[in-house]
Amino acid sequence: MSTQRRAAVLGSPIAHSLSPVLHRAAYGELGLVDWTYDLFDVDEAALPGFIAGLGPEWAGLSLTMPLKRAVIPLLDEISETAASVEAVNTVICTDDGRRVGDNTDIPGMVAALRERGIEQVESAAILGAGATASSALAALARICTGEVVAYVRSEARAAEMRQWGERLDVEVRTADWADAERALSAPLVIATTPAGTTDALSKAVPERPATLFDVLYDPWPTALAARWSGYGGAVVSGLDLLVHQAVLQVEQMTGRSPAPLDVMRKAGEHALDGR
């Protein structure tokens, strides 16, 4: 009987994903020679067929955009963490054939901050209002004792962030993106916007910045992160987030703990250096 186990990352587009590099590095370090981790370009239309076709050799899936919400109706169960933001980035295939969804982005954010000594903050600022911003709010629900200010470009986005705040029991105040420079004086700034969006803010970094969590990792550093670290501020990168959420995925999929964080990070850094 074959002992092969399979896992993969799904999304569209997906060719850029670092997940195979991270998971394969973990398998190598853990001695899981019969495990494979692949990537598949799967959009929302193709997702039901892919899930239905998973055989008993499958251990789990990593999901990226645009599948994190689309997968929910296809699963037998989702965790409270995934339900809190209506987003699943991890599917575990159980021995009895069930498909269970989880979200490791949220605890991954918390773990990445904890690694830098950030256990709790009195207030925070979020730049942006997309899907990653809601995960950031969920992470802040665990570590922020006071107000979170979200800087957004439209009233519709502002209303969404306030609704997420109510749902996650986080005190959220919204502000216009035109005033985003004010965010940079917060004890913790989480930048969740696409590449280039925060470049103009780099000139406004205070002389003694606190902590910046910039969810981007390629290209790195961003202009904001470079200026921030240049002034001596603490910077948590998108690679930190990617590695910490992947650690949790590896542990859930393989049942082996702890996953080799340092080995996975070094593999990710090496892959990015080669791009």
Side-chain angles (χ1 to χ4, degrees), residues 184 198-210 212 214 220-235:
L184 307 185
T198 62
D199 287 359
L201 297 177
S202 60
K203 67 182 186 301
V205 173
E207 289 188 5
R208 294 183 178 179
L212 170 69
D214 194 325
W220 184 263
T222 62
L224 181 61
R227 180 66 65 91
W228 199 278
S229 59
Y231 281 159
V235 176

Side-chain angles (χ1 to χ4, degrees), residues 164-241:
W164 280 116
E166 292 177 8
R167 179 169 178 166
L168 296 163
D169 197 25
V170 179
E171 182 185 350
V172 175
R173 177 168 61 86
T174 55
D176 192 272
W177 183 263
D179 298 321
E181 289 183 0
R182 296 180 182 178
L184 307 185
S185 60
L188 172 61
V189 180
I190 304 181
T192 70
T193 51
T197 308
T198 62
D199 287 359
L201 297 177
S202 60
K203 67 182 186 301
V205 173
E207 289 188 5
R208 294 183 178 179
T211 301
L212 170 69
F213 193 154
D214 194 325
V215 303
L216 296 173
Y217 61 84
D218 188 17
W220 184 263
T222 62
L224 181 61
R227 180 66 65 91
W228 199 278
S229 59
Y231 281 159
V235 176
V236 184
S237 74
L239 181 60
D240 293 321
L241 168 59

Side-chain angles (χ1 to χ4, degrees), residues 37-75:
Y37 189 100
D38 301 301
L39 78 171
F40 294 93
D41 195 304
V42 176
D43 59 16
E44 292 176 75
L47 184 61
F50 192 97
I51 297 289
L54 296 176
E57 73 278 12
W58 282 89
L61 301 171
S62 308
L63 301 177
T64 186
M65 299 306 292
L67 306 179
K68 292 184 179 183
R69 191 158 291 170
V71 75
I72 293 175
L74 307 175
L75 302 176

Side-chain angles (χ1 to χ4, degrees), residues 112-190:
L113 287 165
R114 185 176 295 126
E115 187 180 29
R116 303 302 171 89
I118 309 299
E119 298 278 352
Q120 190 176 83
V121 291
E122 294 181 356
S123 62
I126 295 177
L127 300 173
T132 306
S134 62
S135 291
L137 268 182
L140 289 171
R142 303 183 181 194
I143 66 168
C144 185
T145 59
E147 182 183 68
V148 176
V149 183
Y151 291 83
V152 300
R153 293 188 181 276
S154 71
E155 177 52 38
R157 290 287 194 172
E160 287 180 9
M161 288 298 283
R162 289 192 294 268
Q163 289 171 0
W164 280 116
E166 292 177 8
R167 179 169 178 166
L168 296 163
D169 197 25
V170 179
E171 182 185 350
V172 175
R173 177 168 61 86
T174 55
D176 192 272
W177 183 263
D179 298 321
E181 289 183 0
R182 296 180 182 178
L184 307 185
S185 60
L188 172 61
V189 180
I190 304 181

Side-chain angles (χ1 to χ4, degrees), residues 78-133:
I78 66 171
S79 68
E80 289 185 12
T81 302
S84 73
V85 290
E86 296 179 0
V88 165
N89 79 325
T90 307
V91 175
I92 302 302
C93 303
T94 67
D95 290 340
D96 60 359
R98 301 174 74 249
R99 313 288 185 235
V100 180
D102 194 13
N103 185 308
T104 63
D105 286 331
I106 295 165
M109 282 187 175
V110 174
L113 287 165
R114 185 176 295 126
E115 187 180 29
R116 303 302 171 89
I118 309 299
E119 298 278 352
Q120 190 176 83
V121 291
E122 294 181 356
S123 62
I126 295 177
L127 300 173
T132 306

